[in-house]
Amino acid sequence: MVRLRVGRARREPGPGARLAVAAVGAVVIGGDYQGLGIVRSLGRRGVPVCVVDDERSIARYSRYATHSVRVEELRDQRESIDTLLEVGSRLGLDGWVLYPTREETVAAFSRFRDELGERFRVPTPPWSVVQPAWDKRETYRLATELEIPTPRTWYPASAAELEAVDGEPPFAIKPAVKENFIYATKAKAWRAEDRAELSALFERASAIVGPGEVMVQELVPGDGRQQFAYCAFYKEKAPVATMVVRRRRQHPPEFGRASTFVETVDEPLLESLSERFLEAIGYYGLAEVEFKLDPRDGQFKLLDVNARTWGYHSLGLRAGVDFPYLLYADQVGEQVEAHRATPGVRWIRLVTDLPTAVVEIARGHLGWRSYLRSLKLADVEAVFSRRDPLPGLAELLLIPYLALKRGF
């Protein structure tokens, strides 16, 4: 079933902004807070935006969403392509720019890029480029070749091969491809305190994602405060726009599926390591490269490469880098100038940051006075906006649904 909502987006271009050609719009697949950030980025500049989602999304309530389409299924790659082509044909979205917000959508766009390209503009690179980001086995293999530090990682094909894991616990049990694991467990990884727990959790993970896709990794000490990310619009083996951030808090605290409080920082080494990886695969588009700072040796160690927008990308606008619009402008043939994010700008998603802070305060990892001070320092809230209030109200009403559906 496909449900359609059509509205009229208001145009509120920022100072010095040029209005885009209204005939060329954007299709945002996934309408959570990440998708909402894309809708607002483009809509405020006069770009028509269609939100397509198979969940109860908040972006559909934005004043900047011109179309909203609820579909039954977006997890199956072939079905999602057929659905999107049907929506594009019915609504006349020829030449519109596609924005995926989930891993499975990135994979679908990459694998069926030529087919989609007959109707849409597809910024997602070909599969040969996306695969090293999609599959962590390929990510770490390439990183090793490029001399980019990574955590020690083992790839046992069966429980019998766990004996070859010669590190010391605790360990992290992770999927090589995170999509199915996260949907089934609402977790990014599991922690094993000893060998017995490692064996039990490995068997559980293998039953979910299949043999050969479960990785065992040394657990780099520290929580979200040790995690950093390089964000970029990358083109022709060079960054066009960059932003480096440090996670101050994440949800859940140890293996964060999502950032809850983020600050832009200046870390030239992260830029160098990330650009080495993106250049090697010939990347084009928006990307986030995640690292964890290992306090044992002082090295930034590569964790993930996301070939799409990321949850806190709306921080970029306040820091001077409007990532979704830069990609749009490049896709429609406008000249794009270099941008670099200003350090010291902070982003928060209060609906997940508050419960995260409660847990951290109860554990003695965070003081309540320190937490209140951080709230005063936040420059950007992920969802709440005076100019566009309905998505924030919708998110509050959807908290039980979001908690049940994906654990926020």
Side-chain angles (χ1 to χ4, degrees):
M1 179 185 295
V2 177
R3 301 171 187 171
L4 173 65
R5 167 184 170 270
V6 180
R8 180 173 182 146
R10 299 188 186 181
R11 301 181 181 182
E12 294 183 7
R18 288 177 297 170
L19 287 179
V21 178
V24 178
V27 184
V28 179
I29 299 84
D32 65 356
Y33 68 100
Q34 181 188 157
L36 174 64
I38 303 172
V39 171
R40 286 173 171 169
S41 164
L42 302 177
R44 64 185 292 273
R45 295 178 182 263
V47 179
V49 185
C50 175
V51 178
V52 179
D53 206 346
D54 58 353
E55 296 182 353
R56 295 180 181 177
S57 64
I58 60 174
R60 70 186 296 266
Y61 297 104
S62 173
R63 67 192 301 180
Y64 303 113
T66 49
H67 306 284
S68 176
V69 182
R70 175 78 180 275
V71 300
E72 291 296 327
E73 175 64 55
L74 286 174
R75 292 188 187 177
D76 180 86
Q77 294 182 23
R78 179 65 256 180
E79 187 172 344
S80 67
I81 296 300
D82 291 340
T83 296
L84 195 56
L85 289 171
E86 188 277 328
V87 170
S89 174
R90 181 160 46 85
L91 297 182
L93 309 182
D94 290 8
W96 285 34
V97 183
L98 298 182
Y99 286 82
T101 62
R102 304 174 191 164
E103 298 300 316
E104 63 270 26
T105 314
V106 170
F109 287 8
S110 181
R111 286 174 167 143
F112 299 98
R113 190 169 183 269
D114 292 342
E115 187 175 349
L116 283 173
E118 294 177 4
R119 182 170 297 279
F120 301 103
R121 287 177 168 88
V122 189
T124 304
W127 182 243
S128 61
V129 175
V130 167
Q131 188 180 19
W134 164 262
D135 188 331
K136 287 191 183 65
R137 292 166 295 192
E138 293 298 310
T139 303
Y140 296 140
R141 179 194 61 76
L142 179 57
T144 300
E145 290 181 7
L146 298 172
E147 299 183 345
I148 299 172
T150 64
R152 290 191 69 196
T153 308
W154 298 266
Y155 309 93
S158 65
E161 294 186 12
L162 288 175
E163 295 181 4
V165 177
D166 58 354
E168 293 296 325
F171 297 106
I173 294 87
K174 295 181 175 182
V177 178
K178 60 188 176 184
E179 168 199 348
N180 292 329
F181 186 85
I182 286 182
Y183 281 127
T185 68
K186 298 182 177 65
K188 194 172 184 178
W190 287 333
R191 179 187 178 115
E193 295 289 356
D194 52 39
R195 292 278 173 170
E197 192 171 21
L198 171 63
S199 179
L201 293 177
F202 179 85
E203 292 285 6
R204 283 179 58 192
S206 296
I208 295 170
V209 300
E213 283 202 21
V214 181
M215 307 186 309
V216 177
Q217 194 171 81
E218 68 168 341
L219 191 64
V220 178
D223 54 19
R225 289 167 290 187
Q226 301 296 117
Q227 291 199 212
F228 294 76
Y230 167 89
C231 311
F233 171 38
Y234 206 83
K235 177 184 179 182
E236 296 176 352
K237 297 190 175 182
V240 177
T242 61
M243 178 175 73
V244 179
V245 306
R246 182 179 185 178
R247 286 188 180 186
R248 294 295 180 177
R249 290 186 291 273
Q250 62 182 5
H251 173 77
E254 184 169 49
F255 299 121
R257 290 193 313 276
S259 303
T260 66
F261 192 92
V262 174
E263 180 181 10
T264 55
V265 296
D266 184 20
E267 284 289 348
L269 178 56
L270 285 185
E271 297 182 41
S272 175
L273 294 174
S274 303
E275 289 162 15
R276 191 184 308 171
F277 189 97
L278 296 176
E279 179 181 354
I281 63 177
Y283 192 77
Y284 169 85
L286 303 180
E288 178 200 35
V289 187
E290 297 184 48
F291 293 84
K292 191 167 187 178
L293 178 60
D294 192 333
R296 299 169 299 181
D297 57 17
Q299 289 189 319
F300 289 107
K301 295 185 175 177
L302 177 66
L303 297 181
D304 277 308
V305 180
N306 296 309
R308 51 169 173 78
T309 53
W310 48 96
Y312 56 88
H313 70 83
S314 54
L315 168 61
L317 179 60
R318 182 65 62 90
V321 188
D322 191 352
F323 286 103
Y325 185 73
L326 290 174
L327 179 65
Y328 173 87
D330 190 66
Q331 284 288 300
V332 299
E334 294 185 6
Q335 185 175 356
V336 177
E337 298 178 354
H339 293 75
R340 189 181 187 86
T342 302
V345 185
R346 302 167 186 89
W347 173 99
I348 190 172
R349 186 184 178 213
L350 195 58
V351 75
T352 48
D353 191 63
L354 182 57
T356 296
V358 169
V359 171
E360 292 294 87
I361 291 171
R363 292 175 176 174
H365 298 165
L366 177 66
W368 65 268
R369 289 187 179 89
S370 175
Y371 179 66
L372 292 179
R373 283 195 298 269
S374 72
L375 295 182
K376 295 179 180 179
L377 294 174
D379 300 291
V380 183
E381 211 292 322
V383 174
F384 294 98
S385 168
R386 292 180 180 178
R387 292 185 177 182
D388 191 26
L390 288 184
L393 296 174
E395 184 173 64
L396 289 177
L397 295 174
L398 288 174
I399 284 177
Y401 169 82
L402 294 171
L404 179 65
K405 189 76 173 179
R406 57 175 112 135
F408 285 107

